[in-house]
Amino acid sequence: MINNWILIGLLSVSTYLSRVIGVEFMSGREMNPTLRMYFNYVPIAIISALIVNQILTPADGEIVISFPILIGCLATAITIKIINMFLPSVVIGIAIGILTRYFL
Amino acid sequence: MDTKKRTVKTGFIEALPLAIAIAAYGLSYGVLATQANLSLASTIAMSLLVFSGSVQMVTVAMLASGATFTSVLFTSVLLNLRNLLYGAALAEGFAPAKKKWRWLLSFGVSDEPFVLGSARFQKHGPDPLYFGIVASTFYVAWIISSYIGAFIGGQIDPLKWGLDLAFPVTFVALLIPSLKEKPIIATALTAIIIATALEYLIPGNELTIIITGVLSPLVGLYLKRRSRDD
């Protein structure tokens, strides 16, 4: 519990620092375009890794694919590609995941 | 006075559609935070103090999968590096404001405010007030929706409602719309391959996220440079 509060404190300080340093100290300096692009790709990589992390779950020292999660994710991917709306796609993905769990 | 009023109105109107989208993320964040066993108070406190969708989402996802303090912190630093770019790009637009106000405005520097702010500054020149209105609108939407999400999340049986599916599915919904350019798609595919390989090699290890986050963008970068050199 206390750990969570310390974590929140550290996260808020590090996040605020990254913002204010950008505004106050980096302005007027040209950042290397390669570095700029690298930072733009980091969130994509981390989000992808987190999805994989949720689909593959460790059980008894081995990795198991969770089919309800995998199929739910695929359903969301297809839905958001077609209708391009965040909340409905999430709801459809979860519904299909629940159905998969129920019937599998 | 009149132009000030108009700026406030424009900022609010332009922020509103995005504020609704942010509220949808906030709602998911609140629900997910309760899944990660965060109390209602710490869920809201994180929204009040951190105010960063990506950092907060990734943090609760990592906490739910049992990651350590250090790896959560390291990942958030990695995610925050792009704020340096946003801040540097927005600095000129904040320039007319006094230092204390610039430091306050800095708190609002993140993905969505950057997009609206930089578009405004390009068209109309520096406009700290506009940015302040936009960021405040998002802040209010983020906090209220986090609260509602955490409240709902604490009230219902997670497995019955498929809330364990909320994490991966939310992240897919965040990821897919951004997969437009080849280097971005390549980064995502590389991340999937590296993360899968790491999980099979060393099941359940928490370095997966960090290693994947550091290495995969290099592939995107390589493709981007090659396409430019052609």
Side-chain angles (χ1 to χ4, degrees):
Chain A
M1 244 343 165
I2 291 172
N3 262 357
N4 281 347
W5 285 103
I6 298 172
L7 183 64
I8 291 169
L10 289 172
L11 286 175
S12 59
V13 170
S14 70
T15 305
Y16 182 68
L17 279 180
S18 74
R19 291 169 168 158
V20 82
I21 289 172
V23 170
E24 290 295 312
F25 304 106
M26 307 273 293
S27 58
R29 274 175 230 181
E30 202 51 47
M31 180 178 267
N32 182 327
T34 308
L35 208 58
R36 174 188 300 241
M37 219 163 284
Y38 179 84
F39 291 151
N40 272 333
Y41 296 156
V42 166
I44 301 285
I46 289 180
I47 290 175
S48 308
L50 282 165
I51 295 169
V52 171
N53 222 5
Q54 302 282 324
I55 295 173
L56 303 175
T57 45
D60 303 327
E62 273 185 55
I63 287 294
V64 184
I65 297 176
S66 162
F67 283 102
I69 294 182
L70 178 63
I71 292 169
C73 284
L74 288 175
T76 303
I78 294 165
T79 312
I80 200 154
K81 204 77 195 150
I82 297 170
I83 64 172
N84 202 18
M85 284 152 74
F86 179 79
L87 263 191
S89 310
V90 169
V91 171
I92 288 171
I94 292 177
I96 290 181
I98 294 174
L99 287 176
T100 310
R101 179 172 292 149
Y102 187 75
F103 286 112
L104 220 69
Chain B
M1 192 62 207
D2 210 28
T3 43
K4 264 191 189 172
K5 256 190 203 162
R6 216 176 312 136
T7 307
V8 172
K9 201 175 151 196
T10 313
F12 183 69
I13 289 172
E14 292 184 358
L16 207 55
L18 271 178
I20 294 169
I22 285 168
Y25 296 150
L27 209 62
S28 326
Y29 157 74
V31 172
L32 298 176
T34 55
Q35 291 301 289
N37 287 325
L38 282 186
S39 66
L40 186 66
S42 43
T43 303
I44 312 298
M46 183 135 71
S47 283
L48 278 167
L49 297 171
V50 180
F51 182 42
S52 163
S54 53
V55 168
Q56 291 178 232
M57 286 279 204
V58 168
T59 299
V60 290
M62 288 182 80
L63 286 180
S65 65
T68 60
F69 209 86
T70 329
S71 63
V72 172
L73 209 58
F74 186 86
T75 310
S76 80
V77 168
L78 210 58
L79 281 169
N80 277 333
L81 285 176
R82 71 185 189 288
N83 287 338
L84 295 176
L85 296 173
Y86 292 163
L90 290 169
E92 227 179 82
F94 292 178
K98 285 197 184 110
K99 189 170 184 139
K100 61 173 181 184
W101 293 114
R102 282 205 309 270
W103 282 59
L104 187 64
L105 287 175
S106 300
F107 183 70
V109 172
S110 68
D111 298 312
E112 291 88 355
F114 167 75
V115 173
L116 285 187
S118 54
R120 172 82 178 183
F121 300 160
Q122 258 168 25
K123 255 190 278 171
H124 299 274
D127 193 346
L129 179 64
Y130 173 89
F131 188 88
I133 295 299
V134 166
S136 314
T137 309
F138 292 162
Y139 190 56
V140 171
W142 183 243
I143 286 158
I144 294 175
S145 58
S146 309
Y147 174 75
I148 296 172
F151 185 73
I152 301 171
Q155 298 296 308
I156 53 184
D157 175 18
L159 274 184
K160 191 173 155 199
W161 288 83
L163 284 188
D164 58 318
L165 291 153
F167 267 127
V169 160
T170 304
F171 283 142
V172 168
L174 289 174
L175 178 70
I176 297 291
S178 53
L179 299 180
K180 283 186 181 131
E181 289 171 55
K182 265 187 197 160
I184 294 180
I185 298 171
T187 303
L189 285 177
T190 311
I192 290 169
I193 294 167
I194 296 179
T196 309
L198 284 173
E199 281 299 296
Y200 273 102
L201 286 174
I202 322 162
N205 88 90
E206 58 184 51
L207 286 177
T208 299
I209 307 292
I210 296 171
I211 296 174
T212 311
V214 172
L215 289 182
S216 326
L218 295 173
V219 174
L221 208 58
Y222 170 75
L223 279 187
K224 183 83 184 179
R225 293 206 73 120
R226 209 179 56 171
S227 69
R228 231 182 347 194
D229 292 341
D230 280 347

